[in-house]
Amino acid sequence: MDTLKLKESKDMLADDYGNLYIYKNKDFSLTKYDSLGKQIGRLMLTVPYKIQTVQNPLSVPLFSENAQEMKFVDQNMNEIQKVDFKQKFGFIKMAYAEDLQQLWLLDDSTKRLIQYNFRNESTINSYPFDASFDELMDLLVYENKVYILTKKHIRVYTFKFEKIFEAPIENGKRFRRENEFILVITNNSILKYVPEKEMVTVFGDADAQIVDKNTLSYFEIKANKLYLYSLEKGVETKPKTEPEPQQKVPEQEVEKPAEPDSPEGKLEKKTQEIEQKNPAESSLQKLIEETSDVQSVGV
């Protein structure tokens, strides 16, 4: 990537096709590049917007607290829909697009969490949610749990406003959900939420300016250069402190001697007689020639 494209970038996101979305706070521009660095489209905004996710590049949601609205743009960065909150709600602190028709809204004026269908402009549910919204960075709702991200903490609540998890976070920026896994993107690391237990770092670089991931790679901007890491290399491995256990050599099976009166015993006895009589003739061919004598004793 041209360093001029990365310079002064405030945020970067990568979709699963390898396209990059660069947001610059200086001019409120959102520019999309393909994997070769060619510009696909650009959206010039008048106020700051927060890009929620680019996992569905056909409909990218952007929320503006200043404008009290949410925009959806297509794969060419053209606006396809706008949802205005000013006429229906008090003051929306954060919005989360669950799908292509439902939004979750944190109304700071009424201290409520609202489930809103923006297709037919109707409120589905409303929950009392008197949480502290200081330095609020992102909101996510998944499987009847509410995830709140600030610059310094992650908190998980039930719909009854019961806190079930809290952990410190440094420079939290946004959530990313991959199937049942909840990830937290910070300035220079990516953390995975272990339900109600802990946060585990899956990727990190203290010198990175911006990090992100898609389903194939980790991305980072460092010193105005773009770096890609495969998921396998990004996973931390613990050093070996104990030698690997030596493989146990399987014990050889010991054959049990055949019964003397059995057919096998008679064959074994005949073979021994041949070897004692003339060891030089104890080849496989000699044994085949003597088979008729063995059969005569009932084998």
Side-chain angles (χ1 to χ4, degrees):
M1 292 285 289
D2 186 350
T3 56
L4 293 177
K5 298 176 182 178
L6 302 178
K7 189 178 181 181
E8 298 178 346
S9 56
K10 181 70 174 179
D11 202 1
M12 172 196 67
L13 298 93
D15 64 23
D16 287 342
Y17 297 95
N19 301 313
L20 295 178
Y21 302 72
I22 304 296
Y23 179 74
K24 293 187 177 182
N25 208 33
K26 183 178 180 180
D27 56 4
F28 305 135
S29 65
L30 177 62
T31 309
K32 180 179 180 180
Y33 302 95
D34 65 13
S35 58
L36 300 178
K38 180 182 177 182
Q39 180 175 315
I40 296 176
R42 172 175 288 181
L43 182 64
M44 301 302 295
L45 304 163
T46 56
V47 293
Y49 276 80
K50 178 190 178 301
I51 310 152
Q52 177 185 305
T53 178
V54 295
Q55 286 173 280
N56 178 8
L58 301 178
S59 182
V60 177
L62 302 89
F63 169 71
S64 173
E65 181 182 346
N66 298 68
Q68 285 292 288
E69 66 182 22
M70 176 167 272
K71 291 179 182 288
F72 293 87
V73 298
D74 64 11
Q75 69 272 24
N76 297 315
M77 308 308 292
N78 298 315
E79 183 180 317
I80 54 178
Q81 186 164 1
K82 181 173 69 175
V83 183
D84 191 347
F85 303 131
K86 293 187 293 291
Q87 304 300 324
K88 279 187 158 292
F89 306 99
F91 183 80
I92 301 302
K93 189 72 175 177
M94 188 60 67
Y96 166 68
E98 182 177 13
D99 50 37
L100 298 179
Q101 64 179 8
Q102 293 187 80
L103 300 175
W104 289 91
L105 311 173
L106 274 178
D107 193 333
D108 197 21
S109 60
T110 60
K111 299 297 182 182
R112 300 187 73 83
L113 175 67
I114 301 168
Q115 186 181 16
Y116 179 64
N117 187 318
F118 63 90
R119 295 295 185 188
N120 57 23
E121 299 184 355
S122 63
T123 298
I124 303 172
N125 285 304
S126 179
Y127 305 92
F129 212 77
D130 191 12
S132 173
F133 298 146
D134 295 337
E135 295 187 302
L136 180 64
M137 300 302 296
D138 205 1
L139 163 73
L140 188 146
V141 180
Y142 179 64
E143 289 190 341
N144 298 324
K145 294 181 178 62
V146 184
Y147 297 80
I148 300 291
L149 180 66
T150 70
K151 282 188 176 182
K152 298 180 180 180
H153 291 89
I154 175 178
R155 298 183 178 97
V156 185
Y157 298 89
T158 66
F159 283 144
K160 295 181 180 181
F161 192 50
E162 299 169 339
K163 185 165 61 177
I164 58 178
F165 179 79
E166 180 176 0
I169 297 289
E170 292 186 10
N171 299 313
K173 291 175 62 175
R174 66 176 175 272
F175 287 114
R176 174 183 170 91
R177 184 174 73 84
E178 295 182 348
N179 299 320
E180 72 275 16
F181 299 111
I182 306 297
L183 304 175
V184 172
I185 311 295
T186 74
N187 284 351
N188 53 22
S189 65
I190 300 175
L191 313 174
K192 183 172 74 172
Y193 170 59
V194 179
E196 302 181 28
K197 292 184 179 180
E198 60 180 340
M199 302 297 297
V200 178
T201 301
V202 295
F203 179 82
D205 185 346
D207 298 326
Q209 300 163 256
I210 302 172
V211 298
D212 195 45
K213 77 178 295 292
N214 59 13
T215 56
L216 300 176
S217 306
Y218 295 104
F219 297 77
E220 76 169 359
I221 294 178
K222 181 167 62 174
N224 292 331
K225 293 183 180 180
L226 176 66
Y227 296 85
L228 279 73
Y229 303 87
S230 66
L231 294 182
E232 290 78 7
K233 293 181 180 180
V235 177
E236 297 180 356
T237 56
K238 296 182 179 180
K240 294 180 180 180
T241 56
E242 297 181 0
E244 294 184 355
Q246 296 182 353
Q247 293 184 351
K248 186 178 180 180
V249 179
E251 297 180 356
Q252 295 182 353
E253 295 183 359
V254 180
E255 296 183 358
K256 296 181 180 180
E259 295 292 335
D261 296 332
S262 66
E264 292 81 1
K266 295 178 181 179
L267 178 60
E268 184 178 341
K269 182 179 180 182
K270 185 64 177 178
T271 303
Q272 293 175 354
E273 291 176 355
I274 294 172
E275 291 178 347
Q276 292 175 357
K277 181 178 179 182
N278 189 356
E281 296 180 357
S282 61
S283 63
L284 179 61
Q285 182 64 32
K286 184 64 177 177
L287 290 175
I288 294 174
E289 292 174 357
E290 296 291 334
T291 302
S292 57
D293 296 337
V294 177
Q295 290 177 343
S296 66
V297 294
V299 177

